[in-house]
Each structure stands twice: as structure tokens, then as C-alpha cells.
């Protein structure tokens, strides 16, 4: 049975167990994880599914994830929606309620809602990390990955000055080899000419497969976005028939706040048992609740 076939199996499958055990054994032998005492099945399965059950590649990804968190405490140690409440309330970010035709999660970031005088790039990046941690627990997202739409209308010199070479490396690392999510597509819309120098700074750090998944649509993006997303997925503001962008942003903000205690638990102990609150009300309806408890 190959990797994609293994990925389709439930977490409890006896065919999955040996891969989980192998990854745990090798991870605990690594000097990078010498201080780690617990590696729950649910945590390890994220990395296995992200690399189609190739244990070598899954281990490399896991170590990169741990290294990224260790080297970026200013982002990873504070996963509190309350700390960025005002920015979230500007309708800056949403995870759309409908998946695309491939099953991928669809994320939207509206850069124009970010005022760089009020919010640093670190704080903005923290929102992306919180969302990534939450959706990486979803079994279907582990299998199908995500696609992101960045609406760059309103991009300014103030935004550009926030994205330093160091920050560009952190962004590219999460997109490519430091987080257990498959990035299936990155779509840029409304990008101004002076965004290009920033993208040129990020692009060299991206692997070729991610570069090939970057699509630049410009200001006249409605028709070209429809080549990638069905109308029922996208908000009307992006040429679709789904809920409006403000509603989608509000709903996802509410989900982040319902997950605040869980996010704080992840920040302090990301490798261990993660338990959902009664009813699992903080997370999307397609999540397997067993994914959130230690086997």
C-alpha cells in the first residue's frame, strides 16, 4: 500500500500503527527532541500524512517544525487570539466554510485590513500560525491540504518595511518545509507593482514545487480565480456565491476564540495530547474528534 492510500485510512487502522511507532522511535532518538517526553499519535500523524507516510521525510519535517518553533519564540510562544483581537475584527482573515473541489481548505488574507502602524508582521504572522495549528488537526485537511488567497489591495511601503529578510525566511519555511500541511496553491490578487520586490525576496527560499503553485491574478482576478475555485466556495467579493467575506472572517474569528485554551496548550506543549472542549464546538464540523485525543 502506497503513501496516499495509507493517508486515506483512519487513525486507528492497524496498518497505520507501525508507521506511527517508527516515527516516534526515530524522533525520540534525535538530539533535536531530547527534551521531549511525549509524542502523541495524533501529533505524529500530521507529519506522516503531510509526507504521504514516508518516515524519513516525515522525520525531517517534524525536526524542522521543532527547530522553527525554537528559533521563532516571538511568534510560536504566544498563540492567543485575544492578543490580536482588534486585527481579527477588521475582517483580515478567514478560513472559508466550504472546501474546494479537491477537498482543500481555502484561506483568505486581506492585507489592506492590516495597518502596519498598529500591528507588526510578527503579530500578523501569529494569526497564520494559529490557523495552521487548528486546521492541521483536521484529518481531511491532513489529506487534502490548503490553498491560500492573499488579497494585496492596500499594500503599502509600510507593509513592505515590515517584511525583513529574516521574516521572509520564516514565511518561506512555513510554506515549504517546517509545518505539517500540504500547500496546494497560493493565489495573489490585487497585487501592486511595488509588492514584487517583497515577493522576489521570499521566492528564492521556496522549493520548486511551491513556486509552481503560486498564481498571480492581478486586479482583474474574478475570471482567473474561477479556474481554480468553484463559485460556491468563494465569497461574492471574489466572484463566488458563498457567504460574504465579512461573515466568513467573523465566523473564523469566533472559532479561533473558542479554541483559545487549546492554542495556549499547543504553544506550551505542541507534541503531546490535545483534548477538545465538551462537544468540540470550537472546530469545524468535518474534524474527527478522535484526532484530538491521545491514542
Amino acid at each position: 500500500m502506497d503513501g496516499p492510500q495509507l493517508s486515506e485510512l483512519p487513525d486507528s487502522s492497524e496498518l497505520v500503527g507501525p508507521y506511527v511507532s517508527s516515527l516516534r522511535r526515530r524522533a525520540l532518538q534525535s538530539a533535536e527532541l531530547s527534551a521531549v517526553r511525549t509524542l502523541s499519535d495524533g501529533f505524529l500523524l500530521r507529519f506522516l500524512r503531510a509526507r504521504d507516510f514516508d518516515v524519513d521525510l516525515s522525520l525531517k519535517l517534524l525536526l524542522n517544525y521543532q527547530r522553527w518553533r525554537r528559533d521563532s519564540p516571538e511568534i510560536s510562544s504566544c498563540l492567543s487570539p485575544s492578543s490580536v483581537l482588534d486585527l481579527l475584527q477588521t475582517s483580515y482573515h478567514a478560513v472559508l466554510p466550504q472546501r474546494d473541489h479537491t477537498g482543500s481548505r481555502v484561506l483568505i488574507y486581506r492585507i489592506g485590513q492590516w495597518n502596519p502602524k498598529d500591528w507588526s508582521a510578527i503579530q500578523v504572522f501569529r494569526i497564520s500560525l494559529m490557523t495552521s495549528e487548528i486546521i492541521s488537526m483536521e484529518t481531511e485537511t491532513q489529506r487534502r491540504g490548503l490553498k491560500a488567497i492573499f488579497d494585496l489591495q492596500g499594500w503599502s511601503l509600510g507593509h513592505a518595511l515590515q517584511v525583513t529578510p529574516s521574516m521572509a525566511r520564516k514565511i518561506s519555511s512555513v510554506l515549504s518545509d517546517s509545518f505539517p500541511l500540504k500547500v496546494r496553491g497560493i493565489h495573489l490578487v490585487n497585487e501592486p507593482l511595488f509588492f514584487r520586490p517583497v515577493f522576489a525576496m521570499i521566492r528564492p527560499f521556496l522549493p520548486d514545487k511551491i513556486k509552481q503553485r503560486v498564481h498571480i491574478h492581478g486586479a482583474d482576478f474574478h475570471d482567473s480565480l474561477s479556474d481554480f475555485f468553484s463559485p460556491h466556495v468563494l465569497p461574492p467579493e471574489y466572484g463566488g456565491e458563498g457567504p460574504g467575506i465579512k461573515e466568513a472572517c467573523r465566523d473564523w474569528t469566533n472559532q479561533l476564540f473558542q479554541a483559545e485554551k487549546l492554542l495556549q496548550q499547543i504553544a506550551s506543549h505542541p507534541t503531546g495530547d490535545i483534548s477538545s472542549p465538551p462537544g468540540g464546538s470550537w472546530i469545524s464540523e468535518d474534524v474527527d474528534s478522535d484526532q484530538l485525543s491521545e491514542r
Side-chain angles (χ1 to χ4, degrees):
M1 185 174 286
D2 62 20
Q5 290 174 315
L6 286 166
S7 189
E8 297 299 320
L9 295 175
D11 296 358
S12 58
S13 170
E14 62 182 15
L15 296 177
V16 167
Y19 291 88
V20 174
S21 298
S22 177
L23 179 57
R24 176 182 288 112
R25 182 177 63 256
R26 294 183 59 184
L28 291 175
Q29 291 172 348
S30 169
E32 289 278 347
L33 295 170
S34 59
V36 174
R37 297 183 180 275
T38 304
L39 291 168
S40 69
D41 288 11
F43 175 77
L44 294 171
L45 277 166
R46 297 181 220 172
F47 296 88
L48 287 165
R49 287 201 173 103
R51 292 296 181 264
D52 290 329
F53 281 78
D54 183 312
V55 175
D56 289 337
L57 294 179
S58 299
L59 177 63
K60 180 179 178 181
L61 179 62
L62 193 161
L63 295 178
N64 286 345
Y65 170 83
Q66 289 294 108
R67 192 175 300 118
W68 189 94
R69 289 183 59 90
R70 183 196 66 209
D71 294 344
S72 306
E74 73 280 10
I75 302 171
S76 63
S77 64
C78 177
L79 299 182
S80 170
S82 298
S83 69
V84 286
L85 171 60
D86 291 346
L87 178 55
L88 286 168
Q89 289 183 331
T90 67
S91 300
Y92 163 72
H93 170 54
V95 176
L96 301 185
Q98 298 292 328
R99 295 176 181 272
D100 80 343
H101 65 283
T102 69
S104 292
R105 274 295 198 183
V106 181
L107 286 57
I108 295 183
Y109 296 91
R110 305 170 72 215
I111 301 302
Q113 306 304 110
W114 162 28
N115 185 341
K117 293 181 180 179
D118 297 330
W119 302 98
S120 69
I122 289 173
Q123 291 169 307
V124 173
F125 199 172
R126 190 176 296 146
I127 292 177
S128 297
L129 188 60
M130 288 189 289
T131 287
S132 296
E133 291 285 6
I134 290 297
I135 66 173
S136 72
M137 295 181 187
E138 301 172 343
T139 302
E140 190 65 7
T141 304
Q142 293 169 10
R143 293 169 176 152
R144 315 298 173 207
L146 68 87
K147 295 174 183 174
I149 299 171
F150 291 89
D151 185 343
L152 294 159
Q153 185 172 23
W155 178 268
S156 67
L157 179 60
H159 294 105
L161 292 174
Q162 291 271 0
V163 184
T164 62
S166 174
M167 180 58 64
R169 288 192 190 91
K170 292 180 188 295
I171 294 170
S172 61
S173 291
V174 168
L175 289 175
S176 57
D177 62 2
S178 297
F179 206 88
L181 282 170
K182 299 175 180 178
V183 179
R184 300 299 196 187
I186 298 172
H187 299 265
L188 309 179
V189 303
N190 288 321
E191 70 284 352
L193 286 175
F194 54 89
F195 173 74
R196 293 181 181 179
V198 173
F199 184 63
M201 185 165 51
I202 296 172
R203 185 180 174 86
F205 299 112
L206 299 175
D208 288 341
K209 68 177 182 180
I210 297 295
K211 291 177 184 176
Q212 294 168 6
R213 295 171 185 173
V214 176
H215 306 276
I216 299 177
H217 297 269
D220 187 18
F221 58 83
H222 289 81
D223 288 343
S224 57
L225 269 185
S226 68
D227 293 337
F228 297 90
F229 302 98
S230 300
H232 75 279
V233 175
L234 297 177
E237 295 87 345
Y238 295 91
E241 301 169 356
I245 186 61
K246 289 186 178 180
E247 178 184 348
C249 290
R250 182 179 64 249
D251 289 349
W252 185 249
T253 295
N254 288 339
Q255 291 210 48
L256 286 176
F257 271 87
Q258 290 172 31
E260 180 140 19
K261 289 184 178 178
L262 177 140
L263 286 164
Q264 291 172 355
Q265 186 178 354
I266 292 171
S268 61
H269 187 40
T271 67
D273 175 32
I274 302 296
S275 299
S276 62
S281 60
W282 55 268
I283 204 164
S284 307
E285 62 184 15
D286 68 345
V287 178
D288 179 355
S289 61
D290 290 341
Q291 176 70 14
L292 304 182
S293 59
E294 189 172 33
R295 306 296 182 266

